[in-house]
Amino acid sequence: MPASPSTARAINDRHALRLLQQEGPLTAGQLKQLTGLSRPTVADLVERLTAAGLIAVVGEAGEQRRGPNARVYGIVADRAHLAALDIRTEGVAVTVADLVGRVLAEASAPIGDDTGTGPAVEQAVTLVERVVKEAGAGRLHTVGIGAPGLIDPASGELRDSSGLPEWHRRLVAALQERLPEARVSVENETNLAALAEQRDGVARDRDTFVLLWLGHGTGAAVVLDGALRRGASGGTGEIGFLPVPGTAALPSSKDCEGGFHSLAASGAVVDLAARYGVAAEPGQEPSVVGVVRAAVGVVRSAVREARETGAGVSESPAAVPAARFLDALADRVAVAVASVVAILDPGCVVLGGEVGQAGGDELAARVQDRIARMTPLPTEVRTTTLGGGAVLRGALLTARERAQEELFTPGERPVQRW
């Protein structure tokens, strides 16, 4: 059936707003060209969207032609303000942006293991309020939160998970109480990282891929046919519980020790580096990122020197233990990747998180070489371009989409600044 006039207007409005989001400010003539709509129809939608406070004149086109310059229209960026949070076991990071996603202010703060639940929640909420104030945002329309653990697919709530701080769950409720007018939602951190890689990162050309998160902990996110898959209980990608060879015991329903977590989480990787005599870069603490970055730096330096002198990389005393450490780490990572490939055949696996970024092409190439020998299914292993910042980026993208979904919906749109 043909669309009713009101439905057609709504479709046209949303199409125009999406174009303004993607392309930036446009003239009415450019909107006509991009939408294929008639001049009167474009004039009507521009009038509607202007009256709704969603678009405004932001300048004039500098076209060389007779008559007055054409007005240029853009989305009213401060029509709504958004916040994104990345909650980790050791702290929280906050970003505040406008409706088009332009970052206005951001900050992070550590929260120690010995901090009580109440004080930890207050520290995090205070940080959010400070960043909002610095951004000049006033009220928030939407808040997107990325957190480790399981998200209940029915309620959208962060489930109580063993090993994760209680303040994580309390923080979500506290933000809803302190920001009663904001729409607050929470998503698994690795899922958000995958969405960010799909939109802005290394997986932009893939509609099916798996992101393997390597950082303080481990995780995975599955994107099939362009859609994020969460599973029946929200647990798709809890790869830390995957039973693997090389561990002393099996994981349990309450503890992932003994699973892939025991091979690739930060503590295990730091211990592996020490076993091969790989230390962090001078002046740096022996963190998981530090040891991986140091090993990669030594290997790359040896490769450059070998090209210049004609000597073999194996002749560099420092490169040998670094390369062996990266080989051993790739062996461990390949176990998880091979399991994912055997079940899902995604064609592409992204090594994400801070460790995936630190390992770079040196680690990805080693993992891909092992996967090529372990499975007949062609699989490309890529390195994240967003690293640990992917979670915050994904939270901001989802917050922006939810805000735009509501504000760009046709009907009565009272002009109200958030």
Side-chain angles (χ1 to χ4, degrees):
M1 294 179 62
S4 66
S6 61
T7 300
R9 287 194 294 270
I11 293 172
N12 293 339
D13 289 358
R14 291 176 67 83
H15 188 194
L17 287 164
R18 293 300 180 193
L19 285 171
L20 289 168
Q21 168 70 59
Q22 295 166 6
E23 305 292 335
L26 299 168
T27 65
Q30 290 169 326
L31 281 171
K32 174 182 178 298
Q33 183 179 11
L34 291 170
T35 61
L37 300 172
S38 67
R39 188 178 300 276
T41 300
V42 170
D44 287 343
L45 74 83
V46 166
E47 183 178 354
R48 284 194 303 274
L49 296 176
T50 301
L54 288 173
I55 68 172
V57 176
V58 296
E60 293 184 344
E63 300 173 359
Q64 298 297 323
R65 62 182 179 81
R66 291 186 175 184
N69 289 337
R71 293 176 175 178
V72 178
Y73 296 91
I75 293 176
V76 179
D78 65 353
R79 176 71 168 80
H81 289 100
L82 325 166
L85 280 74
D86 178 6
I87 302 175
R88 305 288 181 97
T89 55
E90 70 276 11
V92 61
V94 181
T95 291
V96 173
D98 59 24
L99 184 58
V100 296
R102 184 174 61 244
V103 174
L104 303 175
E106 54 189 346
S108 61
I111 297 179
D113 294 338
D114 56 348
T115 306
T117 298
V121 170
E122 187 60 31
Q123 284 183 35
V125 174
T126 300
L127 179 67
V128 173
E129 293 174 337
R130 177 169 67 81
V131 178
V132 169
K133 184 177 180 179
E134 291 175 357
R139 293 181 294 174
L140 293 174
H141 182 281
T142 307
V143 178
I145 302 173
L150 298 175
I151 310 299
D152 190 307
S155 66
E157 295 179 351
L158 183 63
R159 290 168 54 183
D160 186 13
S161 300
S162 175
L164 294 177
E166 172 63 23
W167 66 265
H168 284 192
R169 296 180 67 249
R170 290 276 299 275
L171 175 59
V172 177
L175 285 171
Q176 191 68 79
E177 292 174 4
R178 297 272 277 269
L179 306 169
E181 295 174 329
R183 292 83 170 148
V184 179
S185 61
V186 61
E187 177 62 271
N188 174 267
E189 59 177 357
T190 309
N191 287 346
L192 290 177
L195 291 175
E197 295 287 357
Q198 184 185 33
R199 305 286 179 79
D200 297 337
V202 75
R204 283 185 300 243
D205 62 334
R206 306 289 308 197
D207 61 0
T208 294
F209 70 98
V210 169
L211 180 135
L212 179 61
W213 182 269
L214 301 170
H216 179 75
T218 60
V222 177
V223 176
L224 300 178
D225 299 324
L228 181 68
R229 306 298 179 176
R230 295 177 175 84
S233 62
T236 295
E238 287 296 314
I239 205 164
F241 287 88
L242 178 71
V244 292
T247 59
L250 290 174
S252 70
S253 60
K254 296 182 178 180
D255 191 351
C256 57
E257 287 298 330
F260 179 64
H261 176 89
S262 296
L263 292 184
S266 58
V269 176
V270 170
D271 290 344
L272 182 67
R275 191 182 308 167
Y276 284 91
V278 175
E281 295 171 331
Q284 300 293 321
E285 293 292 326
S287 67
V288 62
V289 173
V291 295
V292 173
R293 185 183 292 133
V296 169
V298 169
V299 170
R300 287 177 177 171
S301 178
V303 169
R304 286 194 300 269
E305 183 177 349
R307 288 172 179 169
E308 293 172 358
T309 64
V313 175
S314 60
E315 296 177 25
S316 170
V320 172
R324 288 177 177 172
F325 161 63
L326 291 175
D327 287 339
L329 178 58
D331 288 340
R332 294 184 175 192
V333 173
V335 171
V337 174
S339 300
V340 167
V341 169
I343 296 172
L344 297 175
D345 185 20
C348 177
V349 174
V350 177
L351 302 186
E354 294 88 353
V355 174
Q357 186 176 42
D361 294 338
E362 293 291 338
L363 180 60
R366 283 169 163 79
V367 174
Q368 179 157 336
D369 178 67
R370 284 153 177 77
I371 294 304
R373 299 198 303 264
M374 295 169 71
T375 173
L377 306 178
T379 305
E380 184 180 3
V381 180
R382 298 182 179 180
T383 303
T384 174
T385 56
L386 301 175
V391 177
L392 204 57
R393 180 61 184 161
L396 182 57
L397 285 170
T398 55
R400 188 186 75 187
E401 289 185 356
R402 288 180 179 126
Q404 290 183 353
E405 184 70 25
E406 177 179 329
L407 294 172
F408 292 1
T409 298
E412 295 297 324
R413 302 188 186 97
V415 178
Q416 185 177 19
R417 296 285 185 253
W418 294 87

